[in-house]
Amino acid sequence: MCSSDLAPPRRRKAWLWFGVAGALLLAATTLAIGWMKRDAGSAPWSGVLLEGPQMALDPRLSPDGNLLAFRAFEEAQTQVAVMKPESGNWSILTHRRDRGTVEQVSWSPDSSLVYYDRFTDVPHGVYSVPMLGGEEHLVLEDASAPEALPDGSLLVTRLVSADRGQVYCFWPDTGRLLPFPLKRPLHSAPACARAAPGGKEAFTYAAPLDAAREEPLGMYAIDLASNTARRLSFSKQDSAAPRAWAVAHDGKSLILALPSGSITRVVSVPIRGQSVGKTLFTVTSSIWYLEAGREESLFVNPVERSREVDRLSPGSTLPERIATFSVGGDVDEVLVLPDGRAVTATVGSGHPRLMVAEKGKDPVPLANTQEPTSPPMTLAGSHQMAFIIGPAPRATIAVADIVTGRINRRIAPGKGAIAGLSASANGENLYFCAGGKVWAVPSAGGEPHAVTTGDYAAVDRSGGLIVVRGAASRLRLFQVPLDGGPEREIPLDRSVPIYATHAGFFSSESIDAKGRLLLSLSPLDSWFNTLGILDTNNGSIVRVPTDTLSDHHCGVWTADGGVLYTEVRMRATLWKFAAVK
């Protein structure tokens, strides 16, 4: 933990909020369950909220069927816990706070051990802990996402790039590592593995490692005898990116949680054959994890999230709420307009939309268009703003008038999906990131040209760029002058890891005249991303005093030296669903 002269808010207040929110969400979820029963047709399913912790993630049933392992929260950090599903009695098995978060759990074949990983900006390793508790034991360094197989080996992920890992099979007793030609994103709940009953196959959500062209993620079956992998062929309707998945208890089908507009469909899809998947039920919540139970039952992990735009005045530790939005999209960014209003993204009518928020007033759309509008975004001078317009792969930039919302022009650079967007102080040039490079293009339109390599960038107050470059072990930040001068690597306090998604969604407004950069952190002692202030001159980092039980991915400086930031709150519960006989 880094030191700071700014005291964080008391955790007790945060837990009080979760207690109140939990009651409200429980009522809301109960209503959703009632609607779901009516919607399920001839084979209805019913659900029961499990007793246990207020917040929990990733339920995994032990092979003997007696216990449920999961991730519980202990002072904002995820730890391994076990519970008796029938009674709700539970206990936490791990307590270390200096190795990062627990991201995935898996049982040993004899139900005596729980395997799990530890993660910050990169995976620290796979560990094990006895089912009855005890010391944490390191099984494999620099690995993540363990899945125990019947022969005692583990499917794991090891780094191949800043955000991708390769699938391996690891034998703890001999140390043997067998690579598979599959890669998985590191920061994705569906990118896990599951062993099928019987021990002949395992399944994973991945993509080919050495394909001639980039292929989308999909479900793969791994033959554990021949160590070969094949992509499963699903119908178009069932091949959409799942939010969560599990192998059915009989091993004949996969259970997928598929987002569909404002609902989530839980679908059973046969592993073999071309049969269309069968919808078991639908819910109005996002589902992060699924686990197959016995006798046609499922453990379901619904998660509710909301995004706030908050303001922290200079010298204060009490934030002021500006607006609240639903969470949508994968870019959590906020900007301040010259008149002090805030811009952030939400989801409306099934697609992302940039909204302008002002305290005490209803948010309004930024642009006069029905097309999707989304981050990354940037001010382009005093009267215009640039952002992404159109559906995925988000490769077109729009430049709009801040006051009227009229779109003045569109720029399609043709360099692929755009991951970062910034502008010169006068707004004449835009800088965007695509394909591992930082590009420059006139805001009036024209041909882009490459400036430097990088995965993310923002213009700083000197007129140069702050550039993020990924590495297999950790991210690196550089100051890159635009006049051809030598670049400088920004030193970082490695004891405070930065958020692995290019240090969060910072922008030119995240950097002040003193060279202080607001960015997102992945602290060792918390599952949640906190907001930090990086001194780009000496690399020191201090935390901003924000709620310790929420995510913070973006912050910008206000004109008076305050901080405007996004805060994502969460509620995660465990349910058991069963088909009504």
Side-chain angles (χ1 to χ4, degrees):
M1 177 185 290
C2 60
S3 61
S4 173
D5 57 353
L6 300 175
R10 293 177 62 86
R11 288 192 176 96
R12 182 175 296 177
K13 292 181 180 179
W15 280 116
L16 176 61
W17 182 94
F18 272 108
V20 175
L24 294 174
L25 283 167
L26 175 58
T29 309
T30 303
L31 292 175
I33 297 306
W35 170 81
M36 181 181 60
K37 289 179 184 177
R38 294 191 298 270
D39 188 68
S42 59
W45 285 63
S46 63
V48 177
L49 177 66
L50 298 182
E51 298 291 336
Q54 291 177 319
M55 291 257 289
L57 294 170
D58 195 12
R60 298 299 308 274
L61 187 65
S62 60
D64 61 17
N66 293 326
L67 292 173
L68 202 64
F70 60 96
R71 291 185 280 147
F73 287 80
E74 185 179 62
E75 295 185 357
Q77 180 60 288
T78 49
Q79 303 287 358
V80 179
V82 293
M83 174 172 62
K84 286 187 173 295
E86 294 79 11
S87 67
N89 293 332
W90 65 285
S91 61
I92 295 178
L93 303 183
T94 63
H95 302 279
R96 294 289 296 261
R97 302 183 58 80
D98 58 347
R99 293 176 174 172
T101 66
V102 175
E103 291 294 319
Q104 291 190 26
V105 296
S106 176
W107 286 94
S108 64
D110 62 0
S111 302
S112 66
L113 296 173
V114 180
Y115 292 102
Y116 59 97
D117 53 8
R118 291 281 191 182
F119 222 106
T120 53
D121 53 336
V122 294
H124 285 218
V126 169
Y127 297 80
S128 68
V129 66
M131 177 267 293
L132 296 177
E135 290 296 318
E136 301 188 27
H137 171 68
L138 178 64
V139 177
L140 179 64
E141 290 183 325
D142 304 323
S144 63
E147 174 68 6
L149 301 177
D151 66 352
S153 63
L154 299 169
L155 285 179
V156 299
T157 299
R158 303 198 87 185
L159 279 175
V160 292
S161 67
D163 62 348
R164 295 279 172 171
Q166 184 173 357
V167 180
Y168 285 81
C169 191
F170 174 66
W171 284 262
D173 54 345
T174 65
R176 180 190 176 199
L177 271 169
L178 175 69
F180 290 99
L182 296 172
K183 60 183 178 180
R184 300 192 293 207
L186 296 178
H187 307 283
S188 172
C192 58
R194 292 289 185 265
K200 295 182 179 180
E201 283 186 314
F203 300 89
T204 187
Y205 188 61
L209 180 65
D210 298 317
R213 59 183 178 84
E214 191 72 17
E215 293 189 20
L217 292 164
M219 298 300 308
Y220 282 80
I222 299 174
D223 187 305
L224 298 177
S226 63
N227 294 320
T228 58
R230 62 181 176 87
R231 188 175 181 120
L232 300 182
S233 178
F234 293 156
S235 68
K236 183 177 181 180
Q237 182 182 16
D238 299 324
S239 61
R243 190 64 185 87
W245 63 277
V247 182
H249 185 66
D250 62 7
K252 297 180 180 180
S253 60
L254 296 181
I255 311 298
L256 310 178
L258 300 176
S260 181
S262 60
I263 65 172
T264 300
R265 295 190 308 128
V266 178
V267 180
S268 174
V269 183
I271 291 173
R272 289 173 175 78
Q274 298 293 325
S275 301
V276 177
K278 173 186 176 183
T279 298
L280 303 179
F281 53 83
T282 61
V283 296
T284 55
S285 302
S286 175
I287 294 176
W288 280 22
Y289 297 96
L290 289 170
E291 172 75 347
R294 300 193 172 185
E295 298 179 356
E296 203 172 357
S297 64
L298 286 172
F299 293 98
V300 181
N301 193 184
V303 176
E304 301 282 352
R305 307 198 89 187
S306 64
R307 177 186 291 137
E308 293 181 4
V309 175
D310 292 345
R311 185 183 187 277
L312 197 63
S313 298
S316 174
T317 59
L318 296 176
E320 174 188 19
R321 183 182 302 173
I322 304 300
T324 301
F325 300 90
S326 61
V327 173
D330 55 359
V331 180
D332 184 10
E333 190 173 344
V334 66
L335 283 182
V336 180
L337 298 178
D339 61 8
R341 294 178 299 161
V343 180
T344 192
T346 186
V347 172
S349 302
H351 60 70
R353 174 167 290 187
L354 294 177
M355 304 293 288
V356 179
E358 188 174 2
K359 186 174 177 60
K361 297 183 179 180
D362 292 334
V364 296
L366 171 72
N368 292 330
T369 179
Q370 295 301 313
E371 296 177 82
T373 55
S374 61
M377 56 187 174
T378 182
L379 293 175
S382 58
H383 302 294
Q384 295 188 124
M385 183 171 169
F387 49 87
I388 304 303
I389 192 167
R394 296 199 304 242
T396 301
I397 301 170
V399 179
D401 186 280
I402 291 173
V403 176
T404 66
R406 183 172 63 88
I407 296 176
N408 297 325
R409 69 192 68 90
R410 299 169 186 246
I411 302 170
K415 302 300 179 181
I418 295 172
L421 186 60
S422 193
S424 57
N426 59 14
E428 293 181 358
N429 291 303
L430 299 176
Y431 299 90
F432 66 92
C433 304
K437 294 182 179 180
V438 182
W439 304 81
V441 64
S443 59
E447 287 297 317
H449 67 274
V451 175
T452 186
T453 58
D455 301 302
Y456 197 81
V459 175
D460 65 17
R461 296 299 177 94
S462 70
L465 296 172
I466 301 290
V467 177
V468 180
R469 291 173 183 154
S473 58
R474 55 175 57 91
L475 300 179
R476 302 167 68 190
L477 274 65
F478 296 84
Q479 283 185 317
V480 179
L482 293 173
D483 59 5
E487 63 182 39
R488 179 183 76 92
E489 183 168 3
I490 298 172
L492 295 174
D493 180 355
R494 296 297 182 184
S495 68
V496 188
I498 59 179
Y499 182 37
T501 305
H502 46 64
F505 303 97
F506 64 84
S507 67
S508 297
E509 292 187 350
S510 303
I511 309 165
D512 70 2
K514 299 178 182 179
R516 298 183 302 170
L517 173 63
L518 289 163
L519 43 65
S520 186
L521 306 175
S522 293
L524 291 172
D525 62 352
S526 177
W527 182 83
F528 297 95
N529 298 117
T530 60
L531 200 60
I533 301 173
L534 166 67
D535 188 325
T536 58
N537 300 300
N538 58 34
S540 64
I541 298 175
V542 295
R543 294 191 193 184
V544 176
T546 54
D547 178 24
T548 58
L549 295 170
S550 299
D551 277 324
H552 305 84
H553 297 143
C554 180
V556 295
W557 297 101
T558 58
D560 62 356
V563 177
L564 189 77
Y565 59 90
T566 60
E567 180 169 290
V568 180
R569 296 182 179 269
M570 184 179 79
R571 174 70 176 171
T573 51
L574 299 181
W575 292 73
K576 183 177 181 179
F577 289 91
V580 177
K581 302 298 184 180

